[in-house]
Amino acid sequence: RDRAFSFHYNENEMIARKYFDIEYFSPLVDKKLPKADFVFISGGYPEYFLEELSSNKEMRNSIKEYVDNGGYLYAEGAGLMYLSKSIENVPMVGVLDGNVVMNKRLQNFGLTFTEAKEDSFLLKKGEIIATNEFHYSSISGDLDPIWNIYKKSKVKKWEGGYRVNNAIASYQHINLCGNDYLLDYVYKNIRGGK
């Protein structure tokens, strides 16, 4: 929750407080993740803070180590960009084996529907939720999508959402209003089904 990662739904935070004690951190200025059962990296504009994010190697290493050790993490939009190997050739966290470039035009944007191709701590296989996508960047690399994404008409379809261990990163933004059961599912998975 800083200048680089400033886009999030306030209602998500209110709903999350039913399940978790929330502690904020800044990839721009903090040196390591706080101790956490679940990490969320929101949307924003990391492309405007590339050098600051890249030069904070301690935080980048802290997040990579958290994911490598099986920590639960969800990153959306800017969070996905930050977890990549690089944005515009500037080194980032390196959890995702992909590189991000900025485009002059909007990529996929607007209301979308996201269908899980496999089980994860966030969605069950075959589950469909409403999501939102809005970004100028794109990612390419050795990535294996875990979600099918489409517009209401189902004419345009694509894939997205990437998982590494217990970390998921996507361009999809999830509003928990009407989907708050997802956090219940996340909470139970983190607690080993309890």
Side-chain angles (χ1 to χ4, degrees):
R1 190 173 195 185
D2 59 20
R3 292 173 299 145
F5 302 95
S6 57
F7 178 83
H8 62 279
Y9 299 115
N10 288 330
E11 53 268 35
N12 282 1
E13 184 178 321
M14 291 169 26
I15 293 167
R17 288 187 184 282
K18 294 194 302 190
Y19 297 90
F20 301 102
D21 294 322
I22 297 175
E23 183 173 344
Y24 300 102
F25 70 97
S26 169
L28 284 173
V29 298
D30 293 334
K31 297 303 179 189
K32 64 179 183 176
L33 282 176
K35 186 173 178 178
D37 296 310
F38 179 57
V39 172
F40 171 68
I41 305 176
S42 69
Y45 306 94
E47 63 271 26
Y48 298 132
F49 303 94
L50 295 180
E51 294 306 325
E52 294 97 320
L53 290 168
S54 185
S55 65
N56 191 351
K57 293 179 182 177
E58 295 94 339
M59 177 58 81
R60 287 169 40 209
N61 291 337
S62 178
I63 293 172
K64 179 83 163 55
E65 183 179 339
Y66 175 81
V67 173
D68 288 347
N69 288 329
Y72 289 87
L73 181 148
Y74 179 64
E76 56 186 25
L80 172 145
M81 297 168 68
Y82 182 54
L83 291 185
S84 71
K85 289 198 295 191
S86 70
I87 302 173
E88 292 289 324
N89 296 315
V90 178
M92 291 293 134
V93 175
V95 166
L96 296 176
D97 190 13
N99 297 293
V100 170
V101 295
M102 299 304 299
N103 304 289
K104 293 182 180 178
R105 306 179 107 185
L106 274 171
Q107 303 304 293
N108 298 316
F109 69 96
L111 178 65
T112 56
F113 293 90
T114 297
E115 177 184 17
K117 295 165 60 174
E118 59 186 57
D119 285 339
S120 71
F121 73 85
L122 185 60
L123 295 171
K124 295 177 184 176
K125 182 177 180 180
E127 189 170 8
I128 300 171
I129 60 168
T131 52
N132 184 57
E133 192 168 337
F134 185 97
H135 56 97
Y136 284 87
S137 70
S138 56
I139 188 169
S140 61
D142 188 13
L143 301 162
D144 189 18
I146 61 171
W147 294 343
N148 292 316
I149 301 146
Y150 55 89
K151 295 284 194 175
K152 186 176 182 180
S153 66
K154 295 191 178 180
V155 173
K156 184 177 181 184
K157 299 180 180 180
W158 62 99
E159 295 179 310
Y162 311 102
R163 180 169 66 183
V164 176
N165 298 331
N166 289 320
I168 296 174
S170 79
Y171 276 118
Q172 282 59 50
H173 291 266
I174 299 173
N175 190 316
L176 293 173
C177 285
N179 293 318
D180 57 330
Y181 70 92
L182 292 175
L183 272 189
D184 186 62
Y185 186 58
V186 168
Y187 181 76
K188 287 177 179 172
N189 274 298
I190 290 171
R191 291 179 56 87
K194 298 176 185 178

